[in-house]
Amino acid sequence: LKVRRASATVSAEMPLAAAMAAAVVRHAGARHVVITDLNPYRLEMARRLGVTLAVDTRESPLPEVQRPLFRM
């Protein structure tokens, strides 16, 4: 897996496979890892795994969340 340090990764919906993918791309050097889900338990699990942001898209639309990340 080749991930550029400046890249941003978005994985939508947070089943176990997405959680594992988030951990892998973070370890591989992705600058931002954003997970979306509607389940508070899975969002908290994503935060514990070290994602940049764990977002409930009912509360925060994804484009609104992504915009500040690309300015960093």
Side-chain angles (χ1 to χ4, degrees):
L1 177 65
K2 193 168 197 169
V3 177
R4 293 177 313 168
R5 180 78 180 141
S7 66
T9 301
V10 177
S11 180
E13 295 303 313
M14 179 61 188
L16 184 57
M20 297 295 285
V24 169
V25 297
R26 171 61 90 190
H27 179 75
R31 185 171 55 162
H32 303 297
V33 179
V34 179
I35 289 290
T36 64
D37 204 298
L38 304 178
N39 182 305
Y41 174 78
R42 290 190 301 241
L43 289 170
E44 184 55 37
M45 181 175 58
R47 289 182 188 103
R48 287 195 309 261
L49 288 171
V51 300
T52 307
L53 288 172
V55 180
D56 182 335
T57 53
R58 294 174 297 192
E59 298 172 8
S60 304
L62 196 52
E64 190 177 291
V65 171
Q66 288 174 311
R67 203 169 294 119
L69 294 176
F70 291 109
R71 292 187 195 132
M72 295 177 147

